[in-house]
């Protein structure tokens, strides 16, 4: 069985993934600042309370846990708030992802799944939205997630990371 690190794993989606992974026999460590998550995830996983922007703490956690795969769910997600406070969203969603990726790289961990959002497509031309649809986000939340998708594509092209986006 595999060792899964789930950032933002105490939130709604992350905790569901943590439960399913643990029930399938995998070892799960959740790294979450608990700003919107809950400690209930401790039923299925070890919980480390921390912010993904704290690279030293993330790196220490990655070194200690040695994950086979990292799933990144940690993000600010409230669209109206992103419009009012775009720096908060870029700092958390882009800066936090960069911090996490740097920590993973320093530990030699390259298997990474990113939880993106349909907000990267903006107002879609067709529904259902095809994954190949043009990216055209209309708010800072969607643009911050799109920036991470571009970063992941660049890292994959360089051979430094094996990412996938959900």
């Amino acid at each position: 069985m595999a060792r899964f690190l789930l950032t933002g794993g105490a939130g709604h989606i992350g905790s569901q993934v943590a439960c399913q992974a643990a029930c399938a026999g995998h070892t799960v460590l959740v790294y979450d600042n608990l700003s919107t998550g809950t400690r209930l995830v401790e039923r299925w996983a070890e919980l480390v309370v921390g912010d993904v922007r704290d690279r030293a703490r993330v790196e220490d956690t990655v070194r200690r846990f040695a994950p086979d795969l990292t799933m990144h769910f940690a993000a600010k997600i409230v669209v109206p708030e992103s419009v009012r406070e775009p720096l908060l969203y870029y700092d958390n969603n882009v800066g936090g992802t960069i911090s996490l990726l740097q920590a993973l790289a320093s530990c030699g961990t390259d298997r990474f799944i990113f939880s993106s959002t349909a907000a990267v497509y903006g107002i879609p031309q067709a529904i259902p939205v095809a994954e190949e649809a043009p990216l055209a986000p209309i708010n800072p939340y969607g643009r911050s997630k799109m920036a991470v998708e571009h970063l992941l594509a660049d890292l994959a092209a360089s051979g430094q990371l094996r990412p996938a986006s959900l």
Side-chain angles (χ1 to χ4, degrees), residues 86-163:
L87 283 175
L88 176 64
Y89 277 69
Y90 281 94
D91 179 45
N92 190 82
N93 297 355
V94 179
T97 302
I98 290 171
S99 173
L100 172 62
L101 291 169
Q102 289 171 328
L104 293 173
S106 74
C107 296
T109 301
D110 67 349
R111 295 181 64 211
F112 186 81
I113 295 176
F114 175 60
S115 179
S116 191
T117 176
V120 299
Y121 300 110
I123 300 170
Q125 298 173 1
I127 295 179
V129 179
E131 194 167 336
E132 302 78 27
L135 302 182
I138 60 172
N139 54 60
Y141 165 61
R143 285 189 285 276
S144 71
K145 289 289 202 161
M146 183 180 73
V148 172
E149 288 195 12
H150 287 301
L151 169 62
L152 295 176
D154 291 341
L155 287 170
S158 74
Q160 296 177 52
L161 188 70
R162 294 186 294 164

Side-chain angles (χ1 to χ4, degrees), residues 6-9 13-14 17 71-75 77 113-115 145 166:
L6 278 60
T7 62
I13 295 171
V17 172
M71 297 183 203
H72 183 39
F73 301 101
I77 64 168
I113 295 176
F114 175 60
S115 179
K145 289 289 202 161
L166 302 175

Side-chain angles (χ1 to χ4, degrees), residues 2-71:
R3 298 172 66 75
F4 293 172
L5 169 63
L6 278 60
T7 62
H12 179 70
I13 295 171
S15 64
Q16 296 300 311
V17 172
C19 175
Q20 292 298 312
C23 289
H26 301 289
T27 302
V28 180
L29 185 142
V30 167
Y31 187 96
D32 199 297
N33 68 9
L34 298 180
S35 63
T36 59
T38 173
R39 288 186 173 274
L40 292 176
V41 74
E42 290 178 304
R43 295 178 189 172
W44 310 286
E46 177 184 349
L47 173 64
V48 172
V49 178
D51 193 293
V52 290
R53 294 170 291 182
D54 183 348
R55 180 177 167 195
R57 185 164 174 79
V58 173
E59 190 170 320
D60 179 64
T61 301
V62 171
R63 282 197 196 288
R64 181 180 60 79
F65 185 66
D68 298 306
L69 173 68
T70 299
M71 297 183 203

